[in-house]
Amino acid sequence: MTEFVMSEGLADSADLRPAPSGERRRPVWVVPDEIPAIVPLSARFTEARWVGRYRRAALTADLAAAVTGGSLALVARFGAQINLGYILVGALLPIAWLACVALQRGYETRYFGTGPEEFRSIIRAAVALTALVAITSYATKSEVARGFVILAVPMTCLAAMFGRWVLHRSISWRRFAGRCMRRVLVVGRNDQVTTLRRHLEERPADGYIVVASCLPRGDAFEEPEPERLGRTEMNILAAVDQYDVEVVAVAADPELAGYTLRKLSWALEQRGVELIVSPGIVEVAGPRISIRPVAGLSLLHLERPSVSGGPHLLKTIFDRVLGCLLLLAVSPILIVTAVMVKATSRGPVLFRQTRVGRGGEQFSMLKFRTMVADAEERKADLQKLNEGNGVLFKLRDDPRVTRVGKYLRRFSIDELPQLVNVLRGDMSLVGPRPPLPAEVAKYQIDDARRMLVKPGLTGLWQVSGRSDLTWEESMRLDLRYADNWSIALDLLILWKTARAVLGSDGAY
């Protein structure tokens, strides 16, 4: 029998009665040898109201998308001369679309508000619907106009994705306000529980709120327990009942695995509570993790990161093509900025600085000059005022920055010349922050992994706080990108970069 002690989360401390004066009992949470009989589910274990509303809204949005897509395709393809057969096809399209989305798990509760998973289900549904139309047309020997299908399915898909995006934004705002959350009980060893709890609390948009943490007997709690919380002995299942837990999250723990974990999953299944298990592998993206059956066991496989070969060739082509298009698009801004820099302060228009690229190769990085010409000579006098992350020198009100330079930095216009570095092959559009040689000299062995990929014009550091990040946070983000990059992730970061730049978060 595996025993656990519990530390109640602060989220629901106001709902618990205070303990009698001087009472300091810790509850024992156990996975019982026998699963107790389950009484009928009470109302508190039924699906939350927000889940029902979200499902109805998703169904309505998908139905409206299919009706809109089908109607526009009919009008665009046939105009006013629509025969009865295609009217029937247009009427069946929404039903077929909803069925395809449902088969692709687009209405499963666990995917609500997740964003990428919902969008993937919509895309898979569009592929499935296209295949269904093609197979049905071939089997019945009916001639369905290709123009109708080519218009109807993509327009339906785009409209449905827009609807899900609106729903996702709506629920994200509610979750940041503490609503529409799923109550989580975290179980495991102290360090694993702390890590898992921190990751869940750092992303409120995912919809998880930790209300209690369970540790094996004998482990000390790192955080002080509230004095006023009542404590009684109970097992894990009783805790699920008392705290209205909707999700039990098990951190990596060898003592809570195998048959014990299997029994717990059976008990939670009967109560309608979801069980999630953290494999203990942090900073690893989902696409690199897969479950494969080996020797009758379900083993977790971790794929190697893409550090060479075809994926990097594709990334190079992506960088060069998109970089060229972006350089042409912003060329008027570059010309105007160059004139302003030259006209408002003495010195060169461009600032060149040696940075370290992929594999430790050094290159000259280009930026618009935003400081006075003798900025490097004056740096030593300002060192004591450094507000950076301990390694990088940063000042919010740096007296060396010119009037024009403040605006260039605020909207990251000073970094646009780095598109030339992208075309040269020194940098990528997305990647780790390009480090100085002095920074590289301080790297630990593991830190050097960030140079497996080219440094980027933007990256996870750019969309996660920029200059407000600590050195450790910046390094962690760079290593995460180096191990998990993909073209899809690059596109997502580019999209978020535009939002971060417009908001000028962490820019100084």
Side-chain angles (χ1 to χ4, degrees):
M1 180 181 296
T2 305
E3 297 184 337
F4 291 85
V5 295
M6 182 276 291
S7 169
E8 292 88 342
L10 299 179
D12 290 273
S13 59
D15 299 332
L16 303 177
R17 291 174 296 178
S21 177
E23 184 176 6
R24 291 288 299 169
R25 291 182 297 159
R26 281 183 175 175
V28 179
W29 294 28
V30 301
V31 179
D33 292 328
E34 299 293 337
I35 298 177
I38 303 301
V39 298
L41 293 177
S42 62
R44 63 184 181 181
F45 292 115
T46 60
E47 197 171 54
R49 277 184 290 180
W50 74 264
V51 174
R53 290 197 298 267
Y54 194 97
R55 180 178 286 110
R56 289 191 296 271
L59 284 167
T60 302
D62 291 343
L63 181 61
V67 172
T68 302
S71 301
L72 292 177
L74 286 173
V75 173
R77 176 62 178 82
F78 302 105
Q81 299 177 348
I82 307 175
N83 60 41
L84 182 60
Y86 278 102
I87 293 178
L88 180 60
V89 171
L92 292 176
L93 179 65
I95 300 175
W97 174 251
L98 294 181
C100 288
V101 175
L103 290 174
Q104 298 302 325
R105 301 181 177 181
Y107 303 120
E108 288 194 8
T109 303
R110 57 178 172 168
Y111 294 143
F112 287 173
T114 57
E117 288 297 333
E118 287 190 282
F119 295 148
R120 276 193 282 267
S121 68
I122 295 297
I123 295 174
R124 290 195 299 264
V127 175
L129 181 59
T130 304
L132 176 63
V133 172
I135 293 174
T136 303
S137 177
Y138 176 79
T140 59
K141 297 182 179 181
S142 58
E143 294 294 335
V144 179
R146 290 189 293 270
F148 169 75
V149 178
I150 292 174
L151 291 173
V153 176
M155 286 193 294
T156 299
C157 178
L158 291 175
M161 291 182 69
F162 176 75
R164 291 302 181 99
W165 177 80
V166 172
L167 289 176
H168 176 68
R169 296 298 299 171
S170 175
I171 198 172
S172 293
W173 285 113
R174 286 176 169 80
R175 284 173 171 173
F176 276 112
R179 300 163 56 192
C180 301
M181 306 293 284
R182 308 182 72 190
R183 299 163 61 84
V184 182
L185 166 68
V186 182
V187 182
R189 291 287 180 182
N190 202 342
D191 51 347
Q192 286 90 353
V193 164
T194 301
T195 300
L196 181 56
R197 183 171 186 166
R198 185 182 72 249
H199 279 276
L200 292 177
E201 292 176 345
E202 283 177 350
R203 294 177 57 91
D206 290 341
Y208 294 101
I209 180 171
V210 179
V211 296
S213 300
C214 303
L215 307 179
R217 178 180 291 279
D219 277 19
F221 291 105
E222 294 182 351
E223 299 177 358
E225 297 178 77
E227 292 290 340
R228 64 191 186 88
L229 298 183
R231 294 169 172 80
T232 57
E233 292 197 357
M234 62 185 72
N235 58 40
I236 290 179
L237 301 181
V240 169
D241 294 345
Q242 175 173 341
Y243 291 98
D244 296 345
V245 172
E246 297 168 290
V247 179
V248 173
V250 178
D253 185 357
E255 294 186 12
L256 190 57
Y259 184 61
T260 303
L261 185 60
R262 191 181 183 189
K263 289 194 300 177
L264 176 61
S265 70
W266 290 342
L268 297 177
E269 178 184 353
Q270 296 177 39
R271 283 167 166 77
V273 177
E274 182 179 349
L275 174 66
I276 57 178
V277 180
S278 170
I281 303 175
V282 297
E283 309 298 348
V284 177
R288 288 184 56 205
I289 300 176
S290 60
I291 303 293
R292 301 179 188 172
V294 177
L297 302 174
S298 297
L299 301 183
L300 187 70
H301 284 246
L302 184 62
E303 304 293 343
R304 296 178 181 177
S306 301
V307 296
S308 62
H312 270 273
L313 176 60
L314 180 61
K315 182 177 177 66
T316 299
I317 296 173
F318 172 80
D319 287 336
R320 298 288 177 86
V321 173
L322 186 56
C324 183
L325 294 176
L326 289 175
L327 189 59
L328 292 174
V330 302
S331 56
I333 300 177
L334 296 177
I335 296 173
V336 172
T337 303
V339 173
M340 293 177 64
V341 171
K342 189 65 177 178
T344 57
S345 62
R346 298 174 56 185
V349 172
L350 294 178
F351 173 72
R352 290 175 171 84
Q353 190 175 45
T354 300
R355 297 293 179 109
V356 182
R358 185 184 179 194
E361 296 184 1
Q362 296 187 359
F363 67 96
S364 179
M365 190 184 73
L366 302 176
K367 299 179 67 174
F368 279 122
R369 182 176 55 83
T370 59
M371 293 186 175
V372 294
D374 61 342
E376 289 299 318
E377 289 74 11
R378 296 169 58 180
K379 180 178 177 180
D381 299 333
L382 301 172
Q383 193 67 44
K384 59 183 179 180
L385 303 176
N386 185 17
E387 299 176 3
N389 53 28
V391 178
L392 302 179
F393 180 84
K394 289 285 185 179
L395 280 178
R396 290 188 180 272
D397 296 314
D398 197 322
R400 301 173 300 166
V401 178
T402 63
R403 289 181 300 170
V404 172
K406 291 182 180 180
Y407 294 99
L408 298 184
R409 288 183 166 214
R410 179 180 179 184
F411 297 103
S412 298
I413 297 175
D414 61 318
E415 298 176 358
L416 291 180
Q418 293 171 30
L419 288 170
V420 177
N421 290 115
V422 173
L423 296 182
R424 289 177 179 174
D426 300 327
M427 296 177 61
S428 175
L429 287 175
V430 181
R433 188 187 60 80
L436 293 164
E439 298 172 34
V440 177
K442 300 178 182 179
Y443 280 1
Q444 303 296 323
I445 295 178
D446 293 340
D447 297 341
R449 285 188 59 84
R450 73 195 297 272
M451 292 188 291
L452 290 175
V453 295
K454 293 179 182 179
L457 180 64
T458 184
L460 287 175
W461 51 274
Q462 177 83 320
V463 299
S464 304
R466 301 160 84 180
S467 297
D468 292 332
L469 296 174
T470 65
W471 172 253
E472 291 75 15
E473 290 171 338
S474 177
M475 183 61 67
R476 176 173 59 86
L477 291 173
D478 285 344
L479 292 175
R480 179 192 297 177
Y481 178 82
D483 283 341
N484 303 297
W485 76 268
S486 66
I487 296 297
L489 179 60
D490 285 1
L491 291 172
L492 179 62
I493 291 174
L494 288 172
W495 166 253
K496 289 188 175 182
T497 297
R499 296 168 55 188
V501 169
L502 292 176
S504 63
D505 298 326
Y508 53 90

